[in-house]
Amino acid sequence: EMSEMSERSKQNVAHGLAWSYYVGYLKIVLPRLKQSMEEFSRTNPNLPACRKTWKLHILVPLSCDIYDDLEKADSNIQYVTELTEIILARGGIKKRVYKHSLYAITDEENQLWHCAVEYATPLQTLFAMSQEECAAFSREERLEQAKLFYRTLEEILKGSKECADAYRLIAYEEPEEAETHFLSREILWHLRQEHLEEIAVLERSHAHSPSTALDSAELNLQISTSDLPQPLRTDGF
């Protein structure tokens, strides 16, 4: 009876998708991502290296509308190359390949920011279900399921030691009126935050180093973020 009630209210859809995404994909690739980024950095020393951005940036559009080609979603996002492949035997498949794409994001000053980024692909399932009459899945239910998917995935990853500091979830609601570079601005906000986090770590390291004579006030980085796009608040989900 409880199972039937859960099926009718569709409470288990997003929860199951989040766990499947974690167990069947993220738990496999995220612990190996740093090594792939390090290998890429060694072979491409010309590209700037900010270790705090050496993560898989996972896009979570609450509309569940996913582009197969990120370059078509936003012209300020350009494909660069593939990172080192992860090859494993999985579920009877010999040499199953997992790989991530590296992109260059162009900011307002035409500077390039490099990162590994991709959509949370289970959202495609939620979108497809809302298009299938037999699934009886309304747009409103899809939005609630997308929020539940995000909250569940966030909690799972927070409790995962293997995946710690190897990902960043970027959840967002697209504006009602189309904005040409909305997605790149969303990603750039997170990349800048990660960059500031790395600077803060370096500053603390220098501040505690006996060899430095810099005053803590001099190490303080004063950057205004008033002109940066704001992240999606998820505390109300």
Side-chain angles (χ1 to χ4, degrees), residues 1 18 26 42 59 62 66 72 79 87 110 112 116 120 123 132 137 154 158 176 189 209:
E1 184 179 347
L26 296 181
R42 282 196 300 268
L59 303 177
L62 297 183
I66 289 177
K72 291 182 179 178
Y79 170 80
I87 303 176
N110 287 323
L112 297 179
L123 294 178
E132 292 289 337
F137 211 66
E154 185 180 42
K158 279 182 179 178
E176 292 183 6
W189 190 92
S209 174

Side-chain angles (χ1 to χ4, degrees), residues 41 61 68 143 153 155 166 174 188 207 215 230-231 233 236:
S41 182
D68 289 326
L143 176 59
L153 184 62
E155 287 302 312
E174 295 178 352
L188 282 167
D215 184 82
Q230 297 301 307
R233 290 185 61 83

